[in-house]
Amino acid sequence: MIYLDNAATTKMCEQALKEYEYYACSNFYNPSAIYQPAIDVSLALNAARGQIKKCLGANKGDIIFTSGATEANNLAIRGSLRQGKWEYVFSAGEHASVFNLANALKHEDKVVHFVKLSKSGEIDYDALQSMLNDKTRLVSVMFVNNVTGVINDIARVSQIVRRHAPNALLHVDGVQAVCKLPFNLQEFDVDLFSLSGHKFHAAKGVGALYVKNNAALKNLVYGGGQEFGLRSGTENVPAIMSMAKAMQAQNIEQNYQIASQLKQAFLQHIKDERITVVGQNTSPYICMLLFDGVNGETLTRALEKSVIVGRGSACSAKKAGNHVLEAMGFNVQQIKGAIRVSFDASLSNADVVSAAETIKQTYYQLWEKLK
Ligand code: PMP
């Protein structure tokens, strides 16, 4: 079986697993306790913060550990809300953890704007600019789209935001970019940046929010005041340590080259006039395909013994992340045939070529049956 749903989750790597085990079974103390072994765990947690900041290329700010990117996104957005006539701006292609929250805010009488996507899948930068003013409190734009793999130009977004929304915080959901694209947070002026461990070979249920200035954020939960008062609750130390380890274990540049070659080989072999490849300027790790005349869910299930693929977003698999494809202008019929293929650097060329052939053959068989 060839696993091509790495944007949904990845296998934990050995280094991360070892670290997890060590902090779960040997060095298991509560980092908030005051005796020496616990202080040592607390120091290890702080070292992990430093490693994560270094890996992101952030020279200032804090890392707030969370239960994943869904929570990090909720903290970033809800934590930024303020009383009064403030406005909140989101891209129309955001992950459900941002998109559904943005829609919920509308019902809480907040002024919410959605920025449309261009046909290529990127945010429409002119539309973004036109929605900003000095009442804008928060702008949230994702880095790499989890459905299409399309990369937004975050440096450009931050320039637009700084110029046209002087009072705004800029939040970036970086989940599908961290440990995948070579980048450095110093290149973009962002205030808040979310990431999730299980997308890069760490444990599930752990993530982080990078916060440039934690005074700008309000806590959502009350408790013992852990994580700079922004996320009370005993930290999931084994998972956090596994995340820092997994990050350090990645050779991002080398893996980027490998993923690019894998995607190229896959695309060469999947080529067919009835199969549409979605998006331009995409991550080498993600490939969204639309199969004409066949239901993506049927195809996914028909393939699953030999090739595992996704439907766009595991978090809203039944809906296949269709607000993103809708925002790009695809119709319901086209969206029904959506399949997301996502790669990992541990795959070989032979794997992806064989997967492409299997996907094509299975598609043809279903097409014949349904004709
Ligand atoms: N944002 C994006 C872009 C994602 O792909 C995901 C995971 N599907 C999330 C947020 C949510 O991450 P988590 O699973 O850690 O809650």
Side-chain angles (χ1 to χ4, degrees), residues 7-9 66-73 93-98 142-147 173-177 194-199 204-207 286 312-316 340:
T9 198
T66 65
S67 64
T70 297
E71 186 191 336
N73 286 342
E94 294 298 294
H95 181 264
S97 54
V98 173
M142 74 203 309
F143 199 158
V144 174
N145 188 284
N146 57 300
V147 175
D173 174 346
V175 169
Q176 299 291 349
S194 310
L195 58 104
S196 174
H198 71 109
K199 308 291 182 178
K204 292 177 181 50
V206 66
I286 298 180
S313 167
C315 308
S316 41
R340 181 187 65 187

Side-chain angles (χ1 to χ4, degrees), residues 129-310:
Q129 183 171 324
S130 73
M131 281 170 184
L132 304 179
N133 56 57
D134 55 8
K135 289 184 295 201
T136 312
R137 167 67 187 157
L138 176 78
V139 177
S140 186
V141 176
M142 74 203 309
F143 199 158
V144 174
N145 188 284
N146 57 300
V147 175
T148 60
V150 171
I151 304 168
N152 285 314
D153 183 345
I154 298 301
R156 188 168 169 193
V157 168
S158 82
Q159 274 171 10
I160 295 172
V161 170
R162 297 307 173 217
R163 203 166 298 151
H164 300 276
N167 300 314
L169 296 175
L170 173 59
H171 168 243
V172 172
D173 174 346
V175 169
Q176 299 291 349
V178 172
C179 291
K180 312 276 176 199
L181 306 188
F183 72 90
N184 191 315
L185 270 193
Q186 278 173 57
E187 293 162 21
F188 332 120
D189 184 11
V190 308
D191 299 291
L192 303 154
F193 189 91
S194 310
L195 58 104
S196 174
H198 71 109
K199 308 291 182 178
F200 52 88
H201 304 283
K204 292 177 181 50
V206 66
L209 181 67
Y210 162 77
V211 184
K212 193 163 77 182
N213 169 16
N214 67 29
L217 218 57
K218 281 194 178 143
N219 56 310
L220 306 187
V221 292
Y222 291 81
Q226 290 92 337
E227 300 300 299
F228 310 97
L230 286 171
R231 203 277 188 175
S232 283
T234 303
E235 289 93 344
N236 186 351
V237 179
I240 291 166
M241 297 309 291
S242 85
M243 178 163 70
K245 202 47 143 197
M247 226 175 197
Q248 282 176 294
Q250 305 292 317
N251 188 333
I252 298 170
E253 304 266 356
Q254 189 183 308
N255 291 350
Y256 183 89
Q257 299 304 331
I258 295 171
S260 303
Q261 282 159 18
L262 293 173
K263 186 169 179 178
Q264 207 182 348
F266 179 84
L267 285 173
Q268 257 168 22
H269 286 82
I270 203 78
K271 210 166 183 246
D272 186 287
E273 57 188 15
R274 286 175 293 167
I275 305 172
T276 307
V277 182
V278 172
Q280 280 160 30
N281 184 27
T282 51
S283 158
Y285 287 89
I286 298 180
C287 179
M288 171 47 90
L289 302 163
L290 304 179
F291 291 80
D292 183 40
V294 164
N295 192 310
E297 193 174 336
T298 314
L299 183 53
T300 306
R301 297 307 304 264
L303 280 167
E304 70 187 14
K305 290 216 167 67
S306 42
V307 185
I308 291 196
V309 298

Side-chain angles (χ1 to χ4, degrees), residues 48-75:
R49 277 183 232 284
Q51 281 154 8
I52 292 172
K53 265 175 70 174
K54 190 168 166 216
C55 198
L56 295 176
N59 59 354
K60 50 186 166 192
D62 292 317
I63 295 290
I64 315 292
F65 292 120
T66 65
S67 64
T70 297
E71 186 191 336
N73 286 342
N74 274 262
L75 175 60

